[in-house]
């Protein structure tokens, strides 16, 4: 089988070659209790990032893009399979626990992929790359939580593995504006930065 030529970094999105990835958009991360504990994160997620993710999801589904969710979820009840970092920070959601559910605003549709992960980059603790190669995906739109942690690590790893990475700057967030902007500035060399409206326009143009 002849592979299509790689797309240039700024080429418009082609839905049949694209996965929209939602990182850790789950009840254990974004929940009412976060409003007091993490006010910037909660408000920016509620008012901007989550609504933009929902719009991007709708456009991607209509265009036929692959939709993939990751959730922080150990494979074992005591979390012994977690990365060292997750163990040292005591970050653990048991398999099947309520905290692992994708938030209602971004509820997965039938036949969409949900991958449990136990590391910052999903490339290190899931079969995401294997799945994308099987499906024929070479472009990944990365959204979710947190911009300067799991989003950052995933963008860099994906670029190194030969995927065209795209980050919608208004469909991810973290604990402060400074951290968000700093992360985007740090990893912009590994991906295309765009806003949600631009990517939706490209997806709609192909339907």
């Amino acid at each position: 089988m002849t592979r299509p030529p790689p797309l240039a970094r700024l080429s418009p999105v082609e839905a049949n070659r694209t996965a929209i990835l939602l990182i850790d958009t789950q009840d254990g991360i974004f929940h009412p209790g976060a409003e007091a504990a993490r006010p910037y994160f909660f408000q920016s997620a509620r008012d901007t990032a989550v609504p933009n993710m929902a719009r991007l999801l709708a456009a991607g589904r209509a265009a036929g893009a692959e939709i993939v969710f990751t959730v922080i979820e150990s494979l074992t009840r005591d979390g012994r399979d977690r990365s060292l970092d997750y163990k040292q920070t005591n970050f653990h959601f048991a398999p099947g626990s309520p905290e692992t559910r994708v938030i209602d605003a971004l509820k997965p549709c039938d036949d969409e992929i949900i991958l449990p992960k136990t590391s910052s980059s999903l490339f290190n603790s899931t079969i995401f790359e294997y799945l994308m190669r099987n499906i024929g995906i070479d472009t990944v739109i990365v959204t979710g939580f947190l911009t300067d942690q799991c989003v950052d690590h995933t963008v860099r790893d994906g670029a190194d593995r030969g995927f065209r990475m795209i980050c919608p700057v208004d469909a991810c967030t973290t604990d402060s504006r400074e951290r968000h902007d700093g992360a985007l500035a740090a990893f912009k060399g590994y991906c295309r930065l765009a806003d949600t409206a631009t990517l939706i326009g490209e997806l709609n143009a192909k339907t």
Side-chain angles (χ1 to χ4, degrees):
M1 181 178 71
T2 302
R3 288 188 174 185
L7 294 167
R9 173 167 288 183
L10 299 181
S11 296
V13 172
E14 295 185 12
N16 65 329
R17 302 172 64 165
T18 298
I20 298 175
L21 173 64
L22 295 96
I23 295 178
D24 303 345
T25 54
Q26 63 195 88
D27 287 339
I29 303 295
F30 179 64
H31 53 80
E35 185 169 13
R38 307 170 72 184
Y40 179 86
F41 165 75
F42 181 85
Q43 292 165 15
S44 60
R46 178 195 61 197
D47 298 340
T48 303
V50 170
N52 282 331
M53 284 185 264
R55 287 190 278 269
L56 193 57
L57 267 183
R61 286 165 176 159
E66 195 70 35
I67 308 298
V68 183
F69 298 83
T70 67
V71 293
I72 298 169
E73 181 178 8
S74 300
L75 299 178
T76 55
R77 287 190 296 272
D78 64 0
R80 61 186 180 276
D81 59 294
R82 291 171 294 166
S83 66
L84 177 60
D85 174 58
Y86 278 24
K87 289 174 180 174
Q88 290 176 334
T89 55
N90 197 29
F91 206 18
H92 168 57
F93 296 131
S97 63
E99 293 86 355
T100 68
R101 290 193 299 254
V102 175
I103 61 174
D104 285 342
L106 304 171
K107 187 175 181 180
C109 290
D110 182 52
D111 204 35
E112 292 178 345
I113 297 169
I114 305 174
L115 296 173
K117 77 176 181 70
T118 53
S119 61
S120 290
S121 170
L122 78 167
F123 286 100
N124 293 324
S125 59
T126 80
I127 58 169
F128 177 78
E129 180 175 5
Y130 168 81
L131 296 175
M132 296 304 99
R133 302 295 186 199
N134 288 349
I135 295 169
I137 297 298
D138 62 9
T139 299
V140 183
I141 299 175
V142 185
T143 73
F145 312 138
L146 298 170
T147 313
D148 57 342
Q149 295 184 22
C150 297
V151 171
D152 182 324
H153 203 161
T154 297
V155 164
R156 295 169 187 266
D157 278 0
D160 277 353
R161 286 166 167 80
F163 290 95
R164 184 171 73 126
M165 307 301 284
I166 300 174
C167 180
V169 298
D170 51 0
C172 56
T173 192
T174 185
D175 285 311
S176 72
R177 183 72 195 201
E178 292 74 20
R179 284 176 54 173
H180 177 76
D181 290 345
L184 295 175
F187 66 65
K188 66 181 180 180
Y190 297 87
C191 69
R192 173 191 172 192
L193 298 180
D195 58 34
T196 297
T198 296
L199 298 177
I200 289 175
E202 294 174 8
L203 288 164
N204 289 341
K206 301 295 183 178
T207 57

